Amino acid sequence: MRFTHRCCATGAAAVALVLHGACLPSVASVASVKADKPDLSRFYEQRIKWSTCEGMEIAKDLRCGKVTVPLDYERPGAGTLELAMARYQATGREKRGSVLLNFGGPGGAGVPALAYGGKDFMGLTNAYDVVTFDPRGVGRSSPVSCGEGADKAIEAADDEDQANNPGAALRQLKRAADTCTKHSGPVLPHIGTVNAAKDMDVMRAALGDKKLNYLGFSYGSRLGAVYAAQFPDKVGRMAFDGVDTLTEPLSEQGMVGAEGQQTALEGYLDACTKQWTCPFGQDRRSAREQVIELVNTLDEHPLTAFGRKFTGQDLAGAIGQALYTEQMWPVLTQALTALVRDGDPQALMQLAGGGIAAPDEPRPDETGDGGLVSAEDVPADNLPAALMAINCADDPDRPSAARMTERVARLRAQYEEASPVFGQYRLTQVLMCYGRPKGTSFVREKVRDVDTPKMLLVGTRGDPATPYRWTVETAERLGSSAVVLDNKGEGHTGYGSSKCVHDKVDDFLMYGSLPADGSSCGSDNDND
């Protein structure tokens, strides 16, 4: 689940741990901290130092920094992580502090997303410093990787002999999970939305804000809702666009995602085949068959670029990323043309993962001091690896081996029926949780009836990734604090495509002006 802007260059491939107390203010008196809670005062007392962002000439006014957070909030002395941050400074006369952005995923790196898509948020700089970050495990912030683990899981998910030997498929999935653990380092057991929300509260304090003002897209709505449940007295103005579910199990989420992406693909092919530049020709039905055949062929005979394989599942992931917004369709067409006509998958590989370093060759932190890893060292599979890790950490369901044996073949058939292009890819993301530790029940059980100021939830009727019903369901769970804006448009999220949504979100964040609950934005971007 992603916001409307993607980028092709992100962060690195190592865990950014620093020694206890490094680069942090002196520890405050323990007497000021409740005896039953860990002392986090040194993290809350830090301030961010902003400087020019290296390698991001496209965003000359963007400034980069970092914040230090505990690896484990229950044991703050057990190590720390550095999280990459970026900021466009406020230009208006009346400044309200900062508004923190999360672009979704899970697994999306915020810093490059703001660098490449910052123009959409310049209006907010009239009141705020516009700030974003790479969450733990993502981008330059201790990026996780699966190496060849995802390939192992894909093989298990596509095993036609599961009915005769289901145990072999489960053992393959367990090996895949072990491979991810090997390549991800100490951050993996501490990844997930609950800790990411705690990180945001440290950021709030480091930015000098008493309340957190926040704009979250897609998965970013889950992150914002978890923050509101954990820190209700610190909630400022919060807006969610493309609202995620808080209750559905991963198997259902994956099915919804596969169906939505297939629908979006049909729309893309309708538009593509009307153009002479379409690499699949001008017949829509033939184009659909060519895409399916391309995925199957690449699974059997992968191409190689950047020192790694590019499979049909990588292709599905790349296409899926580009389908979340029509703004990316020309980029997708160019990338597909390079693949179909020249056999060159490089542009699609960038869309699929966003990283640089080969995932099967994790590189050490080259800074030598435990700081942020370099942009060139982000694993090429960081986006899908982080997506799986965070979703698994947020999901308490871990079916037994017997239950998995019973379900896998049936799920595979259901996913393939939902989408012949994306079904296996989405099922693999669900199956990758097998063999990992059980996730938290906090999101499903504790995020409800939050006692906060009003929050704006935007749901788009034609959203292929986060269906409108999730907006309604999440609003009901959050309780009276939630105000729903119905965007009668198409595409994933509305802020980047609907002037009406854009204006209403900005009006709320900057001036506190909320639309009436249940009001709508028309498909022509005008109010109903």
Side-chain angles (χ1 to χ4, degrees):
M1 302 174 188
R2 300 281 290 159
F3 176 57
T4 56
H5 291 284
R6 287 279 299 144
C7 57
C8 295
T10 57
V15 175
L17 294 174
V18 297
L19 297 177
H20 178 72
C23 304
L24 292 174
S26 60
V27 179
S29 173
V30 177
S32 65
V33 180
K34 293 183 179 180
D36 60 341
K37 292 185 177 181
D39 181 11
L40 301 174
S41 56
R42 67 194 184 99
F43 299 99
Y44 276 85
E45 291 174 359
Q46 65 186 302
R47 289 293 180 266
I48 300 168
K49 296 181 180 179
W50 302 102
S51 60
T52 301
C53 298
E54 296 183 5
M56 292 188 178
E57 291 77 10
I58 191 173
K60 62 180 182 180
D61 295 327
L62 191 69
R63 295 295 178 266
C64 288
K66 61 186 178 181
V67 67
T68 307
V69 298
L71 175 66
D72 182 349
Y73 276 88
E74 296 303 314
R75 299 185 304 126
T80 59
L81 301 170
E82 290 186 346
L83 307 182
M85 301 187 70
R87 178 187 73 170
Y88 281 111
Q89 193 167 13
T91 58
R93 294 182 179 179
E94 297 183 9
K95 299 180 180 180
R96 290 187 47 83
S98 305
V99 59
L100 192 64
L101 308 183
N102 180 276
F103 295 95
V111 174
L114 185 60
Y116 284 83
K119 64 179 183 344
D120 273 355
F121 306 97
M122 289 301 100
L124 291 173
T125 60
N126 289 327
Y128 293 103
D129 290 342
V130 175
V131 182
T132 192
F133 62 103
D134 292 356
R136 57 173 61 205
V138 175
R140 297 183 63 203
S141 302
S142 309
V144 296
S145 173
C146 278
E148 297 178 347
D151 293 338
K152 291 183 173 70
I154 289 168
E155 292 171 6
D158 194 37
D159 186 358
E160 296 288 349
D161 297 324
Q162 286 169 346
N164 299 323
N165 191 9
L170 297 184
R171 288 191 293 273
Q172 184 86 322
L173 289 171
K174 182 61 171 66
R175 287 194 292 271
D178 291 343
T179 303
C180 294
T181 299
K182 173 184 176 182
H183 284 262
S184 294
V187 72
L188 189 61
H190 306 284
I191 206 168
T193 304
V194 172
N195 278 334
K198 293 177 180 178
D199 293 342
M200 290 204 305
D201 200 53
V202 173
M203 294 176 203
R204 173 198 59 76
L207 291 166
D209 293 336
K210 294 182 179 179
K211 304 282 186 179
L212 179 70
N213 302 302
Y214 177 79
L215 174 56
F217 298 95
S218 195
Y219 161 78
S221 67
R222 187 199 313 172
L223 180 57
V226 170
Y227 180 91
Q230 292 186 100
F231 305 99
D233 59 331
K234 299 299 183 182
V235 170
R237 296 173 183 171
M238 302 188 79
F240 308 150
D241 185 8
V243 181
D244 200 359
T245 180
L246 300 175
T247 57
E248 289 194 356
L250 280 180
S251 58
E252 294 300 320
Q253 293 182 43
M255 193 82 71
V256 168
E259 291 173 343
Q261 286 182 310
Q262 188 66 37
T263 299
L265 176 61
E266 304 292 349
Y268 164 74
L269 292 176
D270 278 342
C272 181
T273 52
K274 293 176 182 176
Q275 306 293 324
W276 67 269
T277 55
C278 185
F280 305 113
Q282 279 63 58
D283 182 86
R284 179 186 172 281
R285 179 175 296 182
S286 173
R288 182 178 187 272
E289 293 173 353
Q290 288 180 63
V291 173
I292 297 172
E293 180 62 25
L294 193 55
V295 170
N296 293 334
T297 299
L298 285 172
D299 276 338
E300 294 180 5
H301 306 287
L303 295 173
T304 301
F306 296 130
R308 70 181 185 95
K309 294 189 298 184
F310 182 76
T311 68
Q313 298 311 299
D314 293 323
L315 174 61
I319 295 173
Q321 288 301 315
L323 289 177
Y324 283 139
T325 169
E326 293 185 17
Q327 296 175 21
M328 288 296 295
W329 288 6
V331 176
L332 176 60
T333 297
Q334 292 175 2
L336 287 170
T337 299
L339 176 68
V340 172
R341 297 181 180 175
D342 304 323
D344 181 3
Q346 294 186 59
L348 285 162
M349 292 175 82
Q350 295 285 3
L351 284 173
I356 301 297
D360 56 342
E361 297 180 4
R363 302 180 185 182
D365 173 17
E366 295 178 354
T367 62
D369 61 1
L372 296 175
V373 291
S374 63
E376 291 75 16
D377 281 334
V378 66
D381 72 328
N382 178 235
L383 173 58
L387 184 149
M388 288 184 283
I390 295 168
N391 278 339
C392 294
D394 287 358
D395 189 81
D397 298 329
R398 290 295 184 274
S400 65
R403 180 63 173 154
M404 282 290 291
T405 298
E406 177 186 319
R407 295 181 65 198
V408 168
R410 176 170 52 85
L411 280 174
R412 179 162 57 86
Q414 291 175 338
Y415 271 68
E416 289 179 355
E417 182 179 358
S419 172
V421 174
F422 304 104
Q424 185 180 333
Y425 180 80
R426 297 305 294 250
L427 178 59
T428 300
Q429 295 173 347
V430 174
L431 296 180
M432 284 288 279
C433 290
Y434 183 82
R436 297 185 187 225
K438 185 177 181 179
T440 181
S441 60
F442 184 91
V443 179
R444 192 177 296 177
E445 296 179 1
K446 302 297 184 182
V447 185
R448 60 170 71 240
D449 300 320
V450 295
D451 183 16
T452 68
K454 296 291 186 181
M455 298 182 288
L456 179 60
L457 281 62
V458 181
T460 298
R461 292 283 178 166
D463 194 317
T466 50
Y468 181 76
R469 65 177 175 84
W470 284 0
T471 301
V472 176
E473 293 167 0
T474 298
E476 291 175 350
R477 281 186 62 84
L478 295 177
S480 59
S481 296
V483 173
V484 172
L485 176 63
D486 180 355
N487 177 32
K488 299 183 185 299
E490 301 291 329
H492 185 40
T493 73
Y495 189 83
S497 58
S498 166
K499 183 177 185 302
C500 173
V501 170
H502 194 287
D503 290 346
K504 288 186 181 296
V505 170
D506 280 8
D507 286 348
F508 169 58
L509 291 173
M510 291 195 293
Y511 312 116
S513 176
L514 266 172
D517 186 33
S519 61
S520 64
C521 284
S523 58
D524 60 352
N525 297 338
D526 293 324
N527 278 328
D528 284 0

